[in-house]
């Protein structure tokens, strides 16, 4: 048994460490998916944490001990589903009986089950979350106090024990919920940053980093297999005028609509990316130069004939695009020059009047093309 301060500090350390380990396991595994099996695992984890806290009971300075078993139980109710919380309750009851069968074992059954009802009622009915948490802990403590009075018949009622339990339970509960919220928020930020490391936040397309990874992977495959790969670079014509006339927010609307057209018009194996600004790229795997040219021209026509609705639906505008394309093992022999050659073809398309598709072969030999 530990002294009061040592025991309380140890219990907090155990809870915080366990919550951190739990969130790391959830973040790096399939536990984030809510299924029956994951609900069972999460419920068992909550019960295991409660059992550990029961093992490291806090000495109150009298012949009595208290623990924070109810806090993991409350956390499971708050953050998981009814099945997980029911399993946590069952495990708490089971562990208490394993520690010894006495009248207090049966008191624990009543305490846990009544607390479960209180927790779920507060969770469902009280909208303000922190008010709900305080009410949960308060009524759970009232149940603990009433049971203590009833089953001791008031003869060995220990006011110091009750007051101490109320203080550490509410304080420990608030700290545990705050820590859980902090870990959840950190996980959300981690996932968002991880997503935006490979995804363009405006359009939802791949970003430059994601494109480079896919391109390097494709190059490695081409070294082993004799396949063709094409790339098209797409740029919105006179996009600066759109921004200057309607504002950058409306320009973003145009870019998102163009991204949607790109996703709709390209195949499932094509890798579509936003390279920055108004420039996009499409990596066409196992695609001949003729097929790439046909796809590019079809895309150009779709955009040319589309309405781009801006200003909250009050204005429609037309935009056009210029596209440069090239194909490895056809118009481009060196795989590392593929992107540069497509970029040169795009420049030629813009220089020759825009709203055009230009192949790198037209850059190399403009007379014959």
């Amino acid at each position: 048994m530990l002294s009061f301060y040592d025991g309380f500090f140890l219990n907090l350390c155990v809870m915080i460490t366990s919550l951190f380990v739990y969130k790391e396991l959830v973040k790096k595994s399939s536990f984030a998916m809510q299924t029956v099996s994951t609900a069972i695992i999460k419920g068992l984890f909550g019960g295991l944490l409660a059992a550990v806290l029961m093992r490291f009971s806090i000495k109150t300075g009298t012949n009595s001990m208290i623990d924070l078993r109810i806090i993991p139980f409350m956390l499971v109710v708050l953050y998981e589903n009814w099945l997980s919380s029911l399993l946590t309750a069952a495990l708490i009851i089971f562990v208490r009986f394993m520690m010894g069968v006495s009248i207090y074992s049966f008191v624990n059954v009543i305490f846990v089950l009544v607390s479960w009802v209180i927790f779920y009622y507060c969770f469902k009915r009280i909208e303000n979350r922190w008010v709900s948490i305080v009410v949960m802990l308060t009524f759970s403590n009232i149940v603990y106090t009433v049971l203590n009075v009833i089953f001791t018949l008031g003869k060995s009622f220990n006011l110091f024990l009750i007051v101490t339990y109320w203080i550490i339970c509410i304080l420990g509960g608030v700290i545990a919920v705050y820590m859980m919220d902090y870990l959840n928020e950190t996980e959300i930020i981690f996932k968002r940053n991880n997503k935006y490391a490979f995804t363009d936040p405006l359009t939802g397309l791949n970003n430059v980093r994601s494109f480079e990874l896919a391109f390097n992977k494709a190059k490695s495959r081409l070294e082993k297999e004799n396949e063709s790969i094409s790339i098209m670079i797409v740029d919105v014509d006179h996009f600066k005028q759109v921004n200057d006339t309607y504002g950058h927010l409306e320009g973003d609307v145009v870019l998102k609509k163009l991204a949607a057209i790109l996703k709709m018009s390209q195949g499932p194996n094509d890798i579509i990316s936003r390279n920055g600004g108004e420039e996009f790229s499409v990596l066409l795997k196992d695609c001949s130069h003729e097929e790439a040219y046909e796809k590019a021209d079809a895309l150009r026509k779709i955009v040319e004939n589309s309405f781009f609705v801006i200003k909250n639906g009050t204005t429609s505008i037309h935009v056009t695009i210029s596209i440069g394309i090239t194909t490895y093992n056809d118009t481009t022999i060196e795989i590392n020059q593929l992107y540069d050659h497509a970029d040169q073809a795009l420049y030629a398309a813009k220089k020759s009047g825009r709203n055009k598709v230009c192949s790198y072969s037209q850059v190399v030999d403009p007379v014959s093309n």
Side-chain angles (χ1 to χ4, degrees), residues 251-266:
D252 288 346
V253 173
V254 171
L255 293 177
K256 286 191 280 188
K257 174 67 181 292
L258 178 57
I261 293 173
L262 280 165
K263 286 189 282 189
M264 177 189 67
S265 62
Q266 302 305 309

Side-chain angles (χ1 to χ4, degrees), residues 59-209:
K59 186 177 180 181
T60 62
T62 66
N63 292 326
S64 301
M65 294 180 294
I66 54 179
D67 58 65
L68 300 177
R69 74 187 75 172
I70 204 67
I71 294 177
F73 186 31
M74 181 187 70
L75 293 177
V76 174
V77 172
L78 285 172
Y79 297 99
E80 304 303 336
N81 59 23
W82 66 270
L83 178 58
S84 298
S85 62
L86 194 60
L87 284 171
T88 299
L91 193 55
I92 291 173
I93 292 170
F94 173 76
V95 170
R96 181 60 186 85
F97 274 105
M98 291 295 293
M99 294 171 66
V101 179
S102 66
I103 188 173
Y104 296 107
S105 305
F106 294 96
V107 171
N108 177 70
V109 174
I110 299 172
F111 175 54
V112 170
L113 294 180
V114 174
S115 294
W116 186 58
V117 174
I118 291 171
F119 289 165
Y120 253 98
Y121 181 85
C122 295
F123 177 68
K124 295 292 185 181
R125 294 302 183 94
I126 302 177
E127 294 184 3
N128 187 299
R129 193 158 166 279
W130 282 104
V131 171
S132 173
I133 291 164
V134 172
V135 172
M136 285 181 187
L137 293 170
T138 300
F139 276 92
S140 176
N141 289 347
I142 290 173
V143 172
Y144 175 84
T145 303
V146 171
L147 290 173
N148 193 283
V149 172
I150 292 174
F151 284 92
T152 60
L153 300 176
K155 296 178 181 179
S156 58
F157 179 74
N158 190 324
L159 180 61
F160 177 77
L161 173 69
I162 299 299
V163 172
T164 302
Y165 179 79
W166 274 66
I167 292 172
I168 69 166
C169 188
I170 293 177
L171 182 59
V174 169
I175 292 173
V177 172
Y178 177 83
M179 190 64 192
M180 195 68 176
D181 284 349
Y182 172 78
L183 292 173
N184 284 336
E185 185 178 346
T186 302
E187 182 183 3
I188 292 171
I189 294 172
F190 172 82
K191 288 181 177 179
R192 184 173 65 238
N193 290 342
N194 190 52
K195 176 184 176 182
Y196 289 158
F198 299 96
T199 306
D200 175 56
L202 177 65
T203 62
L205 299 177
N206 297 310
N207 61 12
V208 175
R209 181 183 180 187

